[in-house]
Amino acid sequence: MHDEFEPEQEGARRSALFGWPLLLALIGCLALILAAAFTPRLLPRLDLGTMVLAGIGAGLAWWLLVLLVAGRTRQWLVAGIALVVLPATGALAGFGAGRIYVARSAEDGRTFAELDIAADGKPSVPGAAAERGVASAAYLAAIREADKDLRDYADAMGKFNLGVLSSPYLLQQAPQVLSDCASISTLEKVAQDQSKRAHDRKARLIEAVDGSELPAGAKPGARAIVTAGDEDAMLASRIEIIRASRAQCELLARRTWHNAAGYFGFSNGGDRAQFGATTKRLLEAAGKTEALQRVAKDQRTAGREQVREALMR
């Protein structure tokens, strides 16, 4: 008789070990691990302590389900083990999720720490920045928009061929610009529209940086980078160049000049003085533009160093 019941007892023991309570406990561990992997993609960043406590709470909640099933099948051993394993797995999952948040924030910060700044202050970041985080993606999009605006402005300026106004030889070859000097003022609207877009971009970038998962210590540096440059002063310089160019065009349209060995010569002293004045205005405005670009470059460089220091802590 003892031999007849032994297989049944062995089967009962296996059922106790490998029944529904154990399966639920294993599923719970897997669910907690998956939650640690996906939570950073779905929820805003939480501090590490909160993540660990949330993981423990989730583990205990799942254990209650295991306990309910174990109580119906009297598999108390599995319930007891699950009471230790599930909260511990939840704690580790919370810690892991917290570390993922930290890694993601550091990855986002890399875009600003590795910012490439050209001699004229123009920033550039790799295309991969779009996948690094909210702030990186926003900054990449803003740089592309700014680059397009620069190309559009250069194209608009190029249509007037204003470069010929600086050389009597070139102007003799292409005098068409002198036929409609007033139309040069249409460039002011282009400059004003682009300045407004630049202000809007900066506002969006500040919001993106402040709402990002960047480390707190890196945010001031990132904010300095995205807000670098004085848009109002740059607009004023552009407007001055446009107006001085129109004034010079209207002066040259009088045809009182001649080619004096590659320079503009004037028989009329008043025209000569006016040409000198407009040329001076153009040079000063161009100089101010370059100075503004240098300041923006310095601001971006300083911000980049702040981000680097923050990420090294």
Side-chain angles (χ1 to χ4, degrees):
M1 294 290 292
H2 176 75
D3 292 338
E4 293 178 7
F5 285 109
E6 186 172 346
E8 294 184 17
Q9 292 172 350
E10 180 65 22
R13 284 196 296 270
R14 289 185 179 180
S15 177
L17 290 175
F18 300 102
W20 281 107
L22 179 60
L23 180 61
L24 284 175
L26 293 175
I27 292 174
C29 290
L30 178 61
L32 290 168
I33 293 171
L34 291 176
F38 288 100
T39 295
R41 297 178 179 273
L42 303 175
L43 297 177
R45 183 178 182 178
L46 300 172
D47 64 84
L48 187 58
T50 301
M51 294 297 298
V52 171
L53 289 175
I56 294 173
L60 288 173
W62 199 278
W63 174 77
L64 290 175
L65 179 61
V66 173
L67 178 64
L68 178 63
V69 176
R72 299 183 64 179
T73 57
R74 300 182 180 280
Q75 295 173 338
W76 305 116
L77 177 61
V78 174
I81 294 173
L83 178 59
V84 176
V85 172
L86 284 172
T89 302
L92 290 174
F95 181 80
R99 297 306 300 170
I100 292 174
Y101 275 120
V102 171
R104 285 183 58 191
S105 67
E107 185 72 6
D108 206 1
R110 274 184 55 203
T111 297
F112 301 94
E114 298 173 358
L115 181 69
D116 185 41
I117 306 172
D120 62 356
K122 185 175 175 293
S124 63
V125 297
E131 306 299 325
R132 290 180 176 176
V134 173
S136 296
Y139 193 40
L140 175 62
I143 287 176
R144 287 174 173 172
E145 290 175 12
D147 286 347
K148 182 179 183 302
D149 277 352
L150 285 174
R151 291 193 299 271
D152 290 346
Y153 187 73
D155 290 344
M157 292 280 285
K159 290 178 181 178
F160 290 97
N161 201 18
L162 297 179
V164 303
L165 298 178
S166 62
S167 167
Y169 173 76
L170 294 176
L171 188 56
Q172 287 171 336
Q173 302 302 311
Q176 295 85 349
V177 65
L178 302 179
S179 63
D180 188 13
C181 296
S183 64
I184 294 174
S185 293
T186 59
L187 289 171
E188 291 190 25
K189 180 66 165 54
V190 177
Q192 290 165 350
D193 289 346
Q194 290 195 355
S195 181
K196 183 179 183 302
R197 285 198 293 276
H199 278 294
D200 292 342
R201 278 196 298 271
K202 285 188 177 181
R204 293 198 306 270
L205 285 171
I206 292 172
E207 184 177 349
V209 169
D210 290 345
S212 72
E213 297 173 359
L214 285 170
K219 285 187 177 182
R223 199 178 295 113
I225 290 172
V226 302
T227 59
D230 187 335
E231 302 302 335
D232 292 334
M234 184 63 75
L235 174 62
S237 292
R238 280 186 169 185
I239 295 296
E240 176 63 7
I241 290 173
I242 293 167
R243 292 177 179 176
S245 296
R246 175 176 173 174
Q248 193 169 62
C249 178
E250 291 173 341
L251 170 63
L252 296 174
R254 298 174 190 171
R255 309 282 181 172
T256 61
W257 55 274
H258 60 275
N259 189 341
Y263 295 92
F264 283 104
F266 295 87
S267 56
N268 182 311
D271 287 349
R272 183 166 56 251
Q274 185 178 348
F275 181 80
T278 55
T279 300
K280 182 180 179 182
R281 287 174 60 189
L282 285 168
L283 291 175
E284 288 179 348
K288 288 181 180 177
T289 298
E290 291 178 358
L292 289 169
Q293 289 174 338
R294 287 194 297 271
V295 170
K297 178 183 178 182
D298 291 343
Q299 291 172 334
R300 292 189 178 100
T301 301
R304 182 179 63 186
E305 294 307 311
Q306 279 185 278
V307 175
R308 288 177 176 177
E309 291 176 6
L311 294 182
M312 290 175 63
R313 291 173 190 156

